[in-house]
Amino acid sequence: MSTSQVRFASTVMLVREADRAFEVLLLRRNKDLAFAGGAHVFPGGSVDPSDAQPGLVARCFGLSAAEADERLGTPDALSFYIAALREAFEEAGILLVSKDSGQLVDDLDEKLRDCRQSLVAGQCTFTEIVETLDLHLDVGALAYVAHWVTPEGAPRRFDTRFFLASVPSQQRATPDRSEIVGQVWVTPLDALDQYRRGYFELVLPTVKNLEFLASFDTVDHLMGGARSLTSVERIQPRFYRNVDGSVAVALPGSLEYEHASATVLAHGEALPTRPSQVK
């Protein structure tokens, strides 16, 4: 049984309208990273203790702390929303805020772009940026849509909340060139096709959330469907070994899931990510 600590995390799926259909932003992680190196992912990362600072929480609008706690079913739930906004800014350069005038930021000015570079370089904190520039965090722009927990047996485990947001029309995503070395705007169906052909490496929660996105045809339709969700299921897959010793992953409800025993990945053993490895 894995003894690795489960860390709280947030991920945000950023979408925009396109000519044929809406697109979602996928970021390519640096191949040298220990977790999901080289994979295409949505912006996201661990929830930091600073994300729960009262000063940041007080600058949230669009959703109260009580509403967030009820929606996520956990205390201090606004910290997950704040982490999603912080990671979107740090990894993708997308910022969902308003200035002191109450006007939403549709295009990042030079000062905000400089702040983002300083944040990536570790020269300042997200809290300092928000407070210094008197910004207000648009947590109401985030729709909560999924909850995934890494299977027991993985060397790194995350309890991750997935959010969805529409990108302001004038903001342009740019990778941080550190953890994130590339990006692509792609329709969910095209992303899944690239994955099945072996051109995109995707982890299982990314695949399943892309399948969810692919069931909608416009951003408005998608956001409306996301906000109409009355509950979000907590999904924790299980690892199991095939007769040849290879590791696969089973989802709740499958026959393999019901018969899976505790499987711990060996040191250096890769997470099962190919379509044939998922049941």
Side-chain angles (χ1 to χ4, degrees):
M1 187 75 67
S2 170
T3 58
S4 58
Q5 181 181 4
V6 181
R7 288 180 283 180
F8 291 130
S10 286
T11 291
V12 56
M13 297 178 283
L14 299 170
V15 296
R16 70 178 188 184
E17 292 288 3
D19 292 337
R20 293 187 298 120
F22 73 86
E23 298 173 326
V24 62
L25 179 65
L26 288 177
L27 305 177
R28 182 164 57 85
R29 287 172 60 82
N30 190 316
K31 63 180 178 59
D32 295 327
L33 293 174
F35 178 77
H40 281 79
V41 298
F42 306 119
S46 297
V47 177
D48 191 84
S50 65
D51 295 321
Q53 287 184 356
L56 277 183
V57 171
R59 288 180 172 272
C60 293
F61 71 97
L63 191 71
S64 70
E67 289 170 333
D69 290 354
E70 181 179 4
R71 186 79 180 99
L72 270 60
T74 187
D76 299 321
L78 277 180
S79 64
F80 287 90
Y81 286 81
I82 293 170
L85 296 181
R86 174 178 54 76
E87 290 287 348
F89 184 48
E90 183 170 347
E91 292 190 341
I94 299 296
L95 186 59
L96 302 175
V97 296
S98 71
K99 295 190 175 182
D100 56 355
S101 63
Q103 182 178 0
L104 292 175
V105 173
D106 191 46
D107 191 9
L108 302 191
D109 57 25
E110 184 176 355
K111 181 178 291 186
L112 279 170
R113 290 193 293 270
D114 289 343
C115 285
R116 191 266 182 125
Q117 292 180 353
S118 298
L119 178 63
V120 171
Q123 298 168 346
C124 68
T125 66
F126 188 60
T127 302
E128 290 170 341
I129 294 172
V130 170
E131 292 182 342
T132 300
L133 300 183
D134 196 18
L135 302 176
H136 301 271
L137 305 176
D138 189 6
V139 295
L142 301 176
Y144 174 50
V145 295
H147 182 189
W148 285 77
V149 181
T150 310
E152 293 183 0
R156 290 176 177 81
R157 299 188 62 212
F158 298 93
D159 184 324
T160 307
R161 309 300 181 121
F162 285 76
F163 299 92
L164 178 68
S166 176
V167 173
S169 61
Q170 299 303 312
Q171 290 197 30
R172 298 291 179 263
T174 55
D176 64 24
R177 301 297 178 188
S178 176
E179 289 188 9
I180 305 302
V181 296
Q183 68 174 45
V184 60
W185 284 101
V186 61
T187 68
L189 284 175
D190 284 347
L192 291 167
D193 181 63
Q194 295 293 319
Y195 163 67
R196 291 167 185 140
R197 291 171 178 266
Y199 297 119
F200 279 0
E201 181 180 341
L202 303 174
V203 295
L204 180 59
T206 305
V207 173
K208 291 302 179 182
N209 277 288
L210 284 169
E211 291 176 352
F212 168 75
L213 298 184
S215 64
F216 298 90
D217 54 4
T218 67
V219 169
D220 286 345
H221 186 199
L222 170 63
M223 294 302 298
R227 295 193 185 283
S228 69
L229 294 175
T230 57
S231 64
V232 171
E233 178 186 3
R234 179 184 184 274
I235 303 174
Q236 182 175 333
R238 292 175 180 170
F239 292 136
Y240 68 96
R241 291 197 180 275
N242 292 306
V243 292
D244 62 1
S246 62
V247 177
V249 62
L251 289 168
S254 67
L255 180 63
E256 290 81 2
Y257 185 88
E258 299 304 323
H259 292 85
S261 58
T263 298
V264 178
L265 297 187
H267 179 70
E269 192 170 22
L271 290 170
T273 58
R274 296 189 301 275
S276 61
Q277 296 173 308
V278 179
K279 301 295 183 182

